[in-house]
Amino acid sequence: MTAKTLRVTTPAPTDIVLTRVFNAPRHLVFDALTKPELLKRWFGARGWRLVECEVELQVGGSWRFVSVGPDGLKMGQGGVYREVQAPDRLVYTESYDDQWVPGESLVTAVLSERAGLTTLQTMLRYSSPEVRDLVLATPMERGVGESYDRLDEVFASR
């Protein structure tokens, strides 16, 4: 897999795995996932911007994002960190305000580096196959792809 290609797979009935390679060292990708000043520069599909970003990066710590999209549409989400192993691994819960996605999911992000390229593999585990399929039917793949393209732009500007 090359950089700039988002791969989406469904290895289990409740899981979605997103895999993307970035032309940046692992510690920078980890920072981009966890530091508000960086998250505000890339998080969200094109046309969306992160207007609230709170990160308490420790086991048991919470995170909260609010994004504003086209026509002022708002999307809030948050959760609690279960594992923080910088720069290798993050595990956290995720739930959305207003039931964008029903219930809570468990997110596991694993970062591996080889020859200056970092592979980010993110597994999203949902409460049921029905919820997973509901997420797959949304523009999630396009949104994540655009968001990661924006992250590439952040890395290119450093």
Side-chain angles (χ1 to χ4, degrees):
M1 186 164 82
T2 62
K4 299 192 183 236
T5 302
L6 175 66
R7 186 174 65 200
V8 179
T9 58
T10 53
T14 57
D15 298 352
I16 299 171
V17 174
L18 309 171
T19 306
R20 178 67 146 70
V21 176
F22 294 96
N23 186 12
R26 178 173 55 179
H27 71 89
L28 288 181
V29 178
F30 187 89
D31 285 352
L33 297 174
T34 59
K35 292 188 174 183
E37 64 272 18
L38 291 172
L39 283 158
K40 288 179 180 179
R41 293 177 60 193
W42 70 269
F43 188 86
R46 298 213 184 268
W48 287 80
R49 61 189 169 85
L50 200 53
V51 295
E52 281 182 45
C53 183
E54 300 168 12
V55 175
E56 185 185 354
L57 189 61
Q58 62 184 8
V59 174
S62 63
W63 65 277
R64 170 107 178 117
F65 299 167
V66 176
S67 300
V68 175
D71 302 322
L73 188 62
K74 280 191 176 182
M75 180 173 61
Q77 64 197 102
V80 174
Y81 291 103
R82 295 215 177 143
E83 288 181 47
V84 177
Q85 297 174 13
D88 306 312
R89 181 177 165 93
L90 277 175
V91 180
Y92 54 91
T93 60
E94 178 179 65
S95 60
Y96 287 82
D97 300 354
D98 303 324
Q99 296 300 308
W100 280 76
V101 175
E104 183 177 81
S105 59
L106 183 64
V107 180
T108 302
V110 176
L111 297 90
S112 57
E113 183 178 346
R114 183 172 183 191
L117 298 176
T118 298
T119 300
L120 171 61
Q121 185 173 66
T122 306
M123 185 182 72
L124 309 162
R125 178 160 286 159
Y126 296 96
S127 59
S128 70
E130 293 77 21
V131 173
R132 184 208 65 181
D133 292 347
L134 177 69
V135 171
L136 287 170
T138 71
M140 177 269 304
E141 183 173 350
R142 178 188 56 81
V144 171
E146 290 179 5
S147 191
Y148 286 168
D149 290 346
R150 291 177 64 194
L151 180 53
D152 273 331
E153 294 164 11
V154 170
F155 292 140
S157 70
R158 63 181 163 94

